[in-house]
Amino acid sequence: MSSTPETRPRGPQVVIIGAGIVGCSLADELTARGWTDVTVLEQGPLPAPGGSTSHAPGLVFQTGPSRMLTSFAQYTVEKFNSLEADGVPCFDPVGGLELATTPERLADLHRKAGYAASWGVRGEIVSTARCKELWPLIDESIVLGGFHTPDDGLARALLAARAQMERATSRGAVFLDRHTVTGIERQDGRVTAVVTDRGTFAAHHVVSAAGFWGPVIGRMAGIDVPLQPLAHQYAKTPKLPELAGATAEASKPILRFQDRDLYFREHTDRIGIGSYAHRPLTVDPFAIPAYDEARANDMEMPSSYPFTEEDWGPSWEDCRRLFPALRDTEIEEGFNGVFSFTPDGMPVLGESRALRGFWLAEAVWVTHSAGVAKAVAEWMVDGRPSIDVHEADLTRFEDAQRSPSYVRERGAQQFVEVYDILHPLQPMEHPRPLRVSPFHARQQALGARFLEGGGWERPHWYEANAPLVDALGPLPERDAWSARYWSPIAAAEARATREKVALYDMTPLRRLEVSGPGALDFLHRMTTNNLRKKPGAVTYTLLLDHTGGIRSDLTVARLGPDRFQIGANSPADLDWLTRHAPDGVHIRDITSGTCCIGVWGPLARDLVQPLTRDDFSHEGFGYFRAKETYLGHVPVTAMRLSYVGELGWELYTTADLGLRLWDTLWEAGREHGVIAAGRSAFNSLRLEKGYRAWGTDMTDEHDPFEAGLGFAVRMDKEFVGREALDAAAPPTRRLTPLLLDDPAANVLGKEPVYVDGVPCGYVTSASYGYTLGRCVAYAWLPPLATGTGVHIEYFGEKVPATVAEEPLFDPKMTRIRR
């Protein structure tokens, strides 16, 4: 018997805090999926409650280096194009135009055009004349070219919020303004209600979409929200004679002058100007006034701070330089609008591990708002988003990256870098060093060149190895972009690893300990491979979600009947396992208290064997085996694993003994020509072997078979995601190895790949293979036969490459298994 609308299940009770563009979009997305018991609480008045949405200038540029953010923006454009309020469209597709006034920016725009082709956004590099045609007011003499995206445009954020509010209300959602949240109630680790100054609202799920008030709501829930509000200058010119007679709100593309940290949009016969060129103006989220308090203090709204004239002067001169029509005018009005930044510039999304049912949808700009709402709604209703969102997962920040001072400093730097040309390897400058391995002093003495990841200092090469470069012979010349954060020393370190032996600092790799009765059954059920092996076995396996997507790849070492050490990827792995662990199974992150050295190369056994009484021969210590032993005076857990395709071991010990372990290995290795090697060589070697990197080469959008990891799946056992794999259709795409045809050519990742002249996929990882004498690139492509020719677009040039057979190096694994 079918149910009536009155009796039809409405889903769990959901309370959304914040009725800005994110909260309204989320209410619409949830109710469209049948979760209609939704209450949206807003402290200000509706429909313009005074947060960032209320002042947003509405520019939507879709393209960037993040596929996730681009996907969010694409959905936002698609959705807002379908909405209207009072007969006014919620999106105006006037297009976008980014100008280059320096050769460096023009090259960067070519790279951005590559992103657009990779992610499926229409865009093209255009001439100076075309830029002038699109924006007649600019001084074309300073413009070298531009990047035109015809589907970008202006989002009318308040109208879009209202249109979605009305749709959600028609499905049963309730929006309540003038309700200030004062507390979050919980019981047994789960959220139960939201307390306001006008009553308490029971909830199974609570979503904080409070924008720059996010840290305030988070504190009520006992959750750190790593978000820093900053104020950003926005001004309007007076009416311009050159725009006289204009009737449309905008007719020209939204415009970026990124070389001077400026953007522009029309307001009928005026121009609106936003600037990131000024000093970072940090705002304390706990001191931002409420709506009525702001009005009482002559602020238009809480997100609109007084315009700071002293910060505007240089930007105004740059505006006059670009637009001669402004040279005899002055700004008519302006304000400093507050919005949110995180330490890495990404949103903060997902359910808190500390408080079940409490979700974050924070640090989201209008550009990505509908896409974020869709992803969070899918996450809540279906258990996962339909696209990979690990870049925005709230678990991604380490404890060391959550301090208020870190969030403030990095958030301010993200503001500074909004329009900077950033290299994919470019590390942050401050605060450093933050996390260092026990070997840091020895690495410094060897002239390590450190980059940074997850707060860790990571050596990429060592200047002490510079004398080894002369023996290599000539290396191919690199272009300026691929030569940044690289040294020919990396080639020497790769060669030394292949010919002798090298020490690699693997300490930043995440390590989990899983123990207790039932640990084996639990891990066997959670992962794809067979873990029912005797203690001493190490297994490469996968964590899948319920759709068969790859959440992570792991190495699982069984060190005892009920004790396992796991090599994992991110804090999300700990979160996922903890959520599913039964009583009696204990999981803890042991990364900070331990360290690891990879000893790899054909002489690795010669180095290690004299240090221990245990048998490290191939017969006595086979591949993918583990032993707890001593090397000299140091107790170690030795695992015979190799991520570089050479004989060797990962050696783990406690952090207090790390320096002694390094010195022991270093001294023993002198007679064998041991060197320290960095991540630049490491990445080259692992790609020659075709070893995948989770989060780069594959994510939960991919299943194991299309990712080339079917060998790690045992379909004869039960595991999370197995049913989805059973029902999966034949792969329509594969992670494909490519070798660039030209020995001097390089690509770095995220470039589009063309098959028969059509963009069909994109590069994930790439590095020069020094053993092979070619650049190796892995790419997601339709299934292609070995030997098929393709082209990779690199800064506008089509670079030929060929589909290769993997593994590219040592296909019979003779070097590892000896």
Side-chain angles (χ1 to χ4, degrees):
M1 182 176 66
S2 62
S3 58
T4 65
E6 291 76 17
T7 61
R8 187 175 300 136
R10 302 183 64 207
Q13 291 174 301
V14 179
V15 173
I16 299 172
I17 302 171
I21 190 62
V22 178
C24 292
S25 297
L26 181 57
D28 182 45
E29 294 289 337
L30 285 172
T31 56
R33 288 166 174 77
W35 281 25
T36 57
D37 192 351
V38 174
T39 302
V40 184
L41 303 175
E42 173 53 59
Q43 66 175 346
L46 291 174
S52 298
T53 302
S54 301
H55 74 246
L59 286 76
V60 177
F61 287 93
Q62 298 173 80
T63 307
S66 167
R67 180 170 173 266
M68 176 195 71
L69 288 185
T70 300
S71 295
F72 287 161
Q74 287 172 301
Y75 182 76
T76 301
V77 168
E78 176 188 339
K79 185 175 188 181
F80 287 6
N81 261 319
S82 70
L83 297 174
E84 63 176 41
D86 298 332
V88 179
C90 293
F91 191 78
D92 192 350
V94 292
L97 179 63
E98 302 181 42
L99 301 177
T101 60
T102 64
E104 294 77 14
R105 181 66 63 180
L106 186 59
D108 187 61
L109 293 186
H110 277 285
R111 190 163 58 99
K112 185 167 283 187
Y115 293 147
S118 290
W119 315 145
V121 178
R122 287 202 303 155
E124 63 174 341
I125 299 296
V126 295
S127 66
T128 301
R130 179 60 175 154
C131 292
K132 179 71 171 178
E133 183 180 326
L134 291 166
W135 255 97
L137 273 63
I138 65 171
D139 179 357
E140 71 273 27
S141 69
I142 66 171
V143 175
L144 302 181
F147 176 51
H148 181 225
T149 45
D151 300 321
D152 289 341
L154 290 168
R156 298 182 174 93
L158 282 177
L159 285 184
R162 212 177 89 205
Q164 294 177 98
M165 185 189 316
E166 290 170 356
R167 293 205 313 192
T169 300
S170 72
R171 302 184 190 115
V174 175
F175 288 75
L176 300 173
D177 63 0
R178 299 294 187 174
H179 281 64
T180 300
V181 174
T182 59
I184 306 292
E185 293 186 350
R186 73 202 78 183
Q187 184 175 349
D188 299 327
R190 185 167 189 90
V191 70
T192 58
V194 177
V195 182
T196 77
D197 58 351
R198 297 176 66 180
T200 299
F201 298 83
H204 297 106
H205 296 276
V206 173
V207 184
S208 177
F212 51 68
W213 281 290
V216 179
I217 302 301
R219 180 174 291 183
M220 296 178 194
I223 306 299
D224 288 331
V225 179
L227 177 161
Q228 176 61 55
L230 284 107
H232 159 60
Q233 290 198 304
Y234 191 79
K236 291 181 181 178
T237 69
K239 294 182 179 181
L240 300 175
E242 292 81 358
L243 299 178
T247 56
E249 180 184 0
S251 61
K252 302 173 187 63
I254 52 177
L255 186 68
R256 277 175 169 168
F257 182 17
Q258 291 164 295
D259 288 322
R260 306 309 298 171
D261 295 311
L262 293 165
Y263 65 81
F264 307 87
R265 58 153 294 180
E266 295 168 286
H267 292 278
T268 312
D269 53 2
R270 307 163 73 192
I271 296 177
I273 307 165
S275 172
Y276 293 100
H278 55 82
R279 61 194 167 97
L281 301 168
T282 58
V283 176
D284 182 356
F286 296 90
I288 297 174
Y291 188 91
D292 292 327
E293 182 185 352
R295 301 284 285 186
N297 286 283
D298 296 324
M299 294 170 61
E300 183 180 347
M301 62 185 80
S303 63
S304 179
Y305 277 52
F307 193 67
T308 50
E309 292 281 355
E310 64 273 20
D311 294 307
W312 182 248
S315 290
W316 186 230
E317 290 307 310
D318 289 327
C319 294
R320 288 168 158 170
R321 179 171 168 242
L322 182 65
F323 291 109
L326 301 181
R327 289 174 184 169
D328 296 322
T329 66
E330 297 294 338
I331 287 299
E332 191 167 271
E333 60 180 289
F335 67 96
N336 289 0
V338 182
F339 62 140
S340 305
F341 286 82
T342 59
D344 61 2
M346 294 292 181
V348 182
L349 312 177
E351 183 186 18
S352 167
R353 183 172 29 141
L355 182 59
R356 297 290 185 242
F358 185 82
W359 295 76
L360 296 180
E362 298 290 13
V364 181
W365 295 5
V366 171
T367 299
H368 310 114
S369 55
V372 163
K374 177 175 180 281
V376 173
E378 291 170 337
W379 211 339
M380 297 174 71
V381 175
D382 304 325
R384 58 152 287 177
S386 57
I387 68 166
D388 167 52
V389 297
H390 80 273
E391 291 177 307
D393 194 309
L394 64 86
T395 65
R396 71 189 183 273
F397 293 112
E398 308 284 348
D399 289 343
Q401 297 172 304
R402 289 181 170 273
S403 70
S405 58
Y406 184 94
V407 172
R408 182 174 59 255
E409 187 171 349
R410 292 305 307 156
Q413 188 61 26
Q414 288 295 327
F415 178 93
V416 171
E417 294 175 351
V418 162
Y419 283 165
D420 285 1
I421 299 172
L422 299 177
H423 192 276
L425 293 177
Q426 185 168 332
M428 66 180 188
E429 295 181 3
H430 305 286
R432 288 180 66 193
L434 185 62
R435 306 177 78 188
V436 298
S437 77
F439 327 125
H440 188 67
R442 299 293 186 265
Q443 293 166 342
Q444 287 180 307
L446 293 169
R449 292 297 180 259
F450 294 99
L451 302 184
E452 180 272 343
W456 287 102
E457 294 297 311
R458 301 182 181 214
H460 271 242
W461 67 85
Y462 294 84
E463 290 296 330
N465 296 323
L468 302 178
V469 175
D470 292 340
L472 293 176
L475 290 171
E477 289 289 330
R478 286 202 168 210
D479 65 277
W481 189 249
S482 66
R484 292 184 66 183
Y485 305 105
W486 173 85
S487 167
I489 295 171
E493 293 176 357
R495 180 173 177 178
T497 307
R498 292 277 188 241
E499 295 182 352
K500 292 184 179 180
V501 61
L503 305 186
Y504 287 83
D505 181 1
M506 306 304 290
T507 300
L509 294 182
R510 184 167 305 279
R511 293 171 289 285
L512 308 179
E513 182 183 81
V514 181
S515 61
L520 173 60
D521 290 341
F522 165 63
L523 290 173
H524 192 69
R525 184 180 71 255
M526 292 299 296
T527 65
T528 59
N529 214 335
N530 175 32
L531 299 188
R532 296 195 186 281
K533 302 173 183 176
K534 294 179 181 179
V538 183
T539 306
Y540 178 81
T541 188
L542 306 174
L543 280 180
L544 305 185
D545 61 26
H546 292 86
T547 71
I550 304 170
R551 286 190 57 91
S552 189
D553 64 338
L554 312 174
T555 53
V556 180
R558 191 178 187 189
L559 302 180
D562 299 316
R563 182 167 64 92
F564 297 81
Q565 181 173 309
I566 296 178
N569 284 296
S570 75
D573 296 343
L574 175 63
D575 180 66
W576 179 256
L577 291 172
T578 301
R579 287 175 184 270
H580 290 85
D583 293 340
V585 173
H586 308 287
I587 306 172
R588 66 189 185 104
D589 190 324
I590 61 172
T591 310
S592 297
T594 56
C595 59
C596 179
I597 299 175
V599 182
W600 291 311
L603 302 182
R605 184 176 288 117
D606 298 311
L607 189 160
V608 174
Q609 183 63 81
L611 300 173
T612 179
R613 293 181 178 180
D614 281 309
D615 185 0
F616 271 57
S617 70
H618 183 61
E619 294 73 23
F621 197 156
Y623 192 50
F624 267 83
R625 299 292 297 173
K627 282 186 181 181
E628 292 181 295
T629 184
Y630 288 85
L631 294 182
H633 298 285
V634 182
V636 300
T637 299
M639 298 185 196
R640 191 164 166 205
L641 307 175
S642 176
Y643 205 52
V644 300
E646 295 293 335
L647 170 68
W649 289 265
E650 293 178 0
L651 303 174
Y652 299 89
T653 193
T654 52
D656 59 324
L657 290 167
L659 192 58
R660 185 59 180 263
L661 176 60
W662 179 281
D663 289 345
T664 299
L665 295 169
W666 189 260
E667 187 60 33
R670 285 181 182 275
E671 64 178 289
H672 304 295
V674 70
I675 67 162
R679 292 189 68 85
S680 186
F682 175 86
N683 199 47
S684 170
L685 296 169
R686 70 102 179 166
L687 280 172
E688 289 184 333
K689 284 297 294 179
Y691 294 149
R692 277 65 165 148
W694 185 87
T696 301
D697 295 315
M698 74 280 191
T699 68
D700 61 9
E701 290 187 28
H702 310 109
D703 74 41
F705 300 109
E706 59 191 11
L709 298 175
F711 66 88
V713 179
R714 296 292 177 265
M715 295 298 288
D716 58 352
K717 59 167 262 192
E718 294 298 321
F719 56 85
V720 174
R722 182 184 180 281
E723 291 183 4
L725 294 185
D726 274 339
T732 59
R733 59 184 176 179
R734 293 190 184 278
L735 187 59
T736 305
L738 304 174
L739 279 177
L740 274 63
D741 295 352
D742 182 353
N746 273 287
V747 297
L748 297 182
K750 300 186 178 182
E751 297 89 356
V753 182
Y754 290 75
V755 180
D756 296 328
V758 178
C760 291
Y762 58 92
V763 174
T764 57
S765 293
S767 181
Y768 199 85
Y770 301 108
T771 316
L772 302 172
R774 294 285 191 280
C775 182
V776 180
Y778 271 77
W780 282 104
L781 292 170
L784 298 172
T786 299
T788 302
V790 301
H791 287 85
I792 303 173
E793 183 177 332
Y794 183 70
F795 287 94
E797 298 293 327
K798 299 294 195 305
V799 180
T802 302
V803 174
E805 188 76 29
E806 63 176 345
L808 305 172
F809 175 77
D810 188 25
K812 295 184 179 180
M813 303 285 282
T814 57
R815 299 177 70 90
I816 292 177
R817 302 178 187 272
R818 60 179 171 182

